[in-house]
Amino acid sequence: MDHLTSLRDAEPTPFWLDDPRRPQAAPALVGGTTCDLLVVGGGYTGLWTALVAKERDPSADVVLVEADEAGGAASGRNGGFCESSLTHGLHNGLQRWPEEIGLLERLGRENLQAMEDTVDRHGIDCDWERTGSIVVATEPYQLDGLAEEAEAAARYGGKPVLLDADSIRAEIDSPTFLGGLWNKDDVAMVNPARLAWGLKRACLDVGVRVYEHTPATSLDEHGAVITVRTSYGRITARRVALATNAYPSLLRRHRPYTVPVYDYALMTEPLTEAQLAAVGWTRRQGFADSANQFHYVRLSADNRILWGGYDAVYRYGGRVRAEHERRPATFATLARHFFTTFPQLEGVRFTHAWGGAIDTSTRFCVFFDTSHHGKVAYAAGFTGLGVGATRFGAEVMLDLLAGERTERTGLELVRRKPLPFPPEPIRAAGIGITKWSMARADRNEGRRNLWLRTLDRFGLGFDS
């Protein structure tokens, strides 16, 4: 079967959101209201912020507003890898915060466990599986990098398992796999939309007032309070947490620090027992390959294969638009790569093909800031690893809004922002050159050209 035929019946909608258990939206806010804490944004960052705020102080009056429906953007359409890393992987953290990386790794593991505890405590049905994840080598030059990564991970409390060609193919069978590094403990698989919906229900259960289809349009300071206008009303709050991520911030000065990068994924039909046996994969780990233009891959609860990544697409001007979520050329490329990796699955069809915007920052991970005399806090820039890190981001924002110096707020990661992206047209040109250079490095045994080495030197980059 031609790889294009496999896409014939694919619905152009995120698999996770195409679920009969999708909850009914909460009503929009009409009129005015007041609260102690207003959270703007109903993705993971906002949901965790509202829930943790109530856990810290059950008497606090917390309001959350969402322009669409909770979990409808990146939080409901990602690959469902929940990693402990707060720094977009150990390598990125070591490069940027070598003095803090031990603390950052510990805080990340504690954060992942706190997420698991919350899922259990609130009975959130989100297919949580602590199966770990494997980084796979598909080119010989990548094997040395995996060995170096294993050594570094062990130094900072990880329990990595190096796999040779036979061992990796015993776990997941592909003729393209030459080796792997299995992180057994610090990654969970999760149904991302059901996690978001479960967090929304938990927020409602503890008394958070949730308003959906309620976009925030402006933010102003009036003495001791902040006023946020919405389409049909106004909210007056003592403190505000902004959690809009890839969407334009209400604070214009923060907008240059993130760009929306579109990422794409396919989902197969459920595999038969024979098809699943042909691949192996009995331990259900997620995996990603080692290239700059990498794929991320996992099994769903009903044994579908999610196949995503490779293309990271920036659109000139950085606008977030629904029409950018469909890109047939990328879907065709992903399908071709799928059957190259798993030729034994010839004949499998894809049921869903979708895309979504990622809030990318130049340092590849979350950053923070406050404004309006400490009454407003902001977190964004998770760059594709926000499923786990958003809870940590929520804790940091609440610490900052409380004016507390904690182990988290003392981190250089929290105290310093990344370099902003340049304005257009320099931004688009720079991203284009970077993408071309990364693809060239993949074809040239990972050798980074002068452009990439210069970006490395200045702590700049582009990723998804």
Side-chain angles (χ1 to χ4, degrees):
M1 180 183 69
D2 181 82
H3 69 277
L4 294 177
T5 305
S6 68
L7 293 164
R8 185 176 60 191
D9 300 318
E11 292 286 338
T13 188
F15 168 77
W16 310 112
L17 296 174
D18 187 17
D19 187 333
R21 286 197 268 179
R22 184 170 184 163
Q24 184 176 358
L29 173 68
V30 176
T33 192
T34 62
C35 61
D36 297 316
L37 173 67
L38 170 63
V39 180
V40 180
Y44 291 141
T45 307
L47 292 165
W48 280 117
T49 303
L51 182 60
V52 173
K54 289 292 285 186
E55 290 174 344
R56 290 187 180 190
D57 181 4
S59 68
D61 184 13
V62 178
V63 169
L64 182 148
V65 295
E66 162 57 37
D68 184 42
E69 294 183 21
S75 297
R77 62 184 64 215
N78 62 79
F81 285 68
C82 187
E83 304 198 16
S84 67
S85 177
L86 306 174
T87 60
H88 204 272
L90 178 58
H91 177 73
N92 189 53
L94 272 170
Q95 282 190 316
R96 300 177 188 279
W97 302 285
E99 301 302 318
E100 293 183 344
I101 191 62
L103 175 57
L104 287 164
E105 288 289 290
R106 175 176 64 79
L107 290 172
R109 293 188 180 103
E110 291 174 356
N111 178 69
L112 181 63
Q113 186 59 52
M115 291 184 68
E116 186 169 305
D117 294 343
T118 301
V119 167
D120 290 341
R121 184 167 63 252
H122 289 278
I124 297 174
D125 179 11
C126 60
D127 302 328
W128 183 274
E129 295 181 283
R130 196 78 170 260
T131 54
S133 183
I134 302 174
V135 180
V136 173
T138 55
E139 298 288 344
Y141 75 87
Q142 297 168 355
L143 293 170
D144 288 342
L146 294 186
E148 292 171 7
E149 188 175 341
E151 183 181 340
R155 284 202 307 271
Y156 295 102
K159 300 174 182 177
V161 178
L162 268 175
L163 305 172
D164 61 19
D166 290 338
S167 298
I168 180 62
R169 293 191 63 174
E171 296 294 335
I172 307 169
D173 191 11
S174 168
T176 67
F177 291 177
L178 305 179
L181 179 63
W182 185 4
N183 179 346
K184 287 190 171 185
D185 299 323
D186 296 336
V187 186
M189 298 297 111
V190 66
N191 180 312
R194 289 185 186 174
L195 174 60
W197 300 334
L199 290 173
K200 172 186 166 181
R201 179 178 58 78
C203 284
L204 292 168
D205 287 348
V206 299
V208 176
R209 290 188 282 150
V210 177
Y211 299 99
E212 293 176 287
H213 300 297
T214 303
T217 57
S218 68
L219 180 152
D220 297 289
E221 184 177 21
H222 296 280
V225 298
I226 300 293
T227 298
V228 172
R229 292 191 177 275
T230 68
S231 296
Y232 307 125
R234 183 176 67 178
I235 306 165
T236 301
R238 293 177 55 247
R239 297 289 184 268
V240 175
L242 298 179
T244 52
N245 295 313
Y247 290 86
S249 173
L250 289 177
L251 303 179
R252 187 171 293 275
R253 66 187 174 93
H254 283 146
R255 294 181 185 179
Y257 290 94
T258 62
V259 296
V261 175
Y262 277 83
D263 185 48
Y264 298 90
L266 306 175
M267 185 69 94
T268 72
E269 61 192 345
L271 299 188
T272 66
E273 289 187 12
Q275 289 168 332
L276 194 58
V279 180
W281 216 343
T282 58
R283 302 191 221 228
R284 304 181 57 80
Q285 313 96 321
F287 77 84
D289 58 58
S290 302
N292 290 310
Q293 292 183 287
F294 63 93
H295 305 84
Y296 53 87
V297 191
R298 56 158 297 187
L299 287 171
S300 67
D302 59 349
N303 292 328
R304 302 168 183 261
I305 296 179
L306 181 144
W307 182 266
Y310 189 74
D311 266 347
V313 179
Y314 172 74
R315 306 279 185 158
Y316 187 93
R319 294 179 179 86
V320 180
R321 296 285 186 269
E323 57 264 30
H324 298 339
E325 297 167 9
R326 302 181 185 183
R327 198 165 191 264
T330 294
F331 298 146
T333 297
L334 287 172
R336 176 165 51 84
H337 293 175
F338 175 88
F339 290 111
T340 299
T341 301
F342 294 125
Q344 66 270 48
L345 295 181
E346 178 71 22
V348 166
R349 295 182 182 274
F350 297 103
T351 61
H352 296 75
W354 72 94
I358 293 171
D359 58 328
T360 295
S361 68
T362 58
R363 73 182 190 192
F364 307 154
C365 67
V366 63
F367 65 90
F368 303 90
D369 202 1
T370 59
S371 68
H372 296 80
H373 305 94
K375 292 190 283 293
V376 177
Y378 179 86
F382 293 94
T383 317
L385 280 186
V387 177
T390 46
R391 186 190 175 281
F392 173 81
E395 295 264 25
V396 171
M397 281 200 291
L398 292 172
D399 289 349
L400 293 172
L401 289 172
E404 297 176 353
R405 182 170 177 82
T406 65
E407 194 172 41
R408 290 179 290 264
T409 60
L411 290 166
E412 186 179 353
L413 176 145
V414 172
R415 292 185 291 106
R416 296 182 183 273
K417 295 198 297 293
L419 290 170
F421 287 94
E424 299 288 17
I426 300 171
R427 176 188 297 179
I431 290 173
I433 294 169
T434 303
K435 283 191 63 180
W436 176 85
S437 298
M438 292 169 68
R440 187 171 184 268
D442 284 339
R443 296 190 300 268
N444 196 27
E445 297 189 341
R447 297 186 186 93
R448 298 172 75 80
N449 63 14
L450 178 61
W451 175 264
L452 292 179
R453 295 197 303 272
T454 301
L455 293 182
D456 292 342
R457 191 173 303 120
F458 288 96
L460 290 164
F462 171 79
D463 203 356
S464 66

